């Protein structure tokens, strides 16, 4: 686990069993031209202890972004950080952060898309027992 946090890359933990979540990870991977991000499934990240700082019921409710220093962000907060990491993010991120309602807009958009995770093929977030493969 310690080498995961000492990596020079960000780690994006996502629900690899969810169609919309996997498509999201593929989009991010395509945008990540400088290869600053590694990708890992939520189940593996949880098994390796990377998500221990997140309460068990919330670990499978959203994606998580772990910085090279080990800082962990989830959901819309992770999306804001992710935008900053991607190419063009150094321009877009400050605009979002300084515009009135910028962060609320990102949170709203994230919440709308995250509803896809709670429907259809995405059952990992609804598994209250925590038994993921």
């Amino acid at each position: 686990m310690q080498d995961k946090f000492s990596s020079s890359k960000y780690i994006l933990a996502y629900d690899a069993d969810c169609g919309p979540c996997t498509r999201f990870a593929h989009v991010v991977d395509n945008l990540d031209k400088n290869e600053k991000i590694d990708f890992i499934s939520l189940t593996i990240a949880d098994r390796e202890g990377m998500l221990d700082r997140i309460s068990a019921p919330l670990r499978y409710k959203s994606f998580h972004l772990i910085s090279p220093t080990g800082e962990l962000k989830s959901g819309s907060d992770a999306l804001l950080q992710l935008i900053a990491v991607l190419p063009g993010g150094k321009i877009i991120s400050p605009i979002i952060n300084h515009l009135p309602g910028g962060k609320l807009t990102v949170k709203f958009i994230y919440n709308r898309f995250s509803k896809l995770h709670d429907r259809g093929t995405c059952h990992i977030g609804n598994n209250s027992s925590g038994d993921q493969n």
Side-chain angles (χ1 to χ4, degrees), residues 5-123:
F5 292 131
S6 64
S7 166
S8 62
K9 292 187 175 190
Y10 286 81
I11 299 170
L12 190 145
Y14 70 101
D15 185 351
D17 295 321
C18 169
C21 302
T22 301
R23 283 190 291 282
F24 168 72
H26 286 221
V27 168
V28 171
D29 190 29
N30 286 331
L31 293 172
D32 183 25
K33 300 298 182 200
N34 299 323
E35 297 184 12
K36 292 182 176 183
I37 304 166
D38 283 332
F39 300 84
I40 190 170
S41 76
L42 285 174
T43 53
I44 293 172
D46 190 20
R47 195 173 335 146
E48 291 187 12
M50 299 169 83
L51 305 178
D52 286 351
R53 290 176 282 156
I54 299 171
S55 68
L58 298 177
R59 289 180 191 167
Y60 293 91
K61 293 288 183 190
S62 66
F63 82 98
H64 310 285
L65 188 66
I66 305 166
S67 76
T69 61
E71 181 183 14
L72 178 66
K73 293 194 177 188
S74 302
S76 62
D77 291 334
L79 184 56
L80 285 167
Q81 180 69 37
L82 181 61
I83 291 168
V85 171
L86 293 171
K90 292 198 186 304
I91 296 167
I92 297 168
S93 183
I95 292 170
I96 292 170
N97 286 319
H98 294 295
L99 279 178
K103 289 180 183 180
L104 286 175
T105 301
V106 169
K107 185 174 184 169
F108 174 79
I109 291 168
Y110 175 79
N111 287 336
R112 297 294 281 176
F113 280 104
S114 70
K115 288 183 189 292
L116 295 172
H117 183 266
D118 297 331
R119 292 188 280 207
T121 61
C122 304
H123 300 291

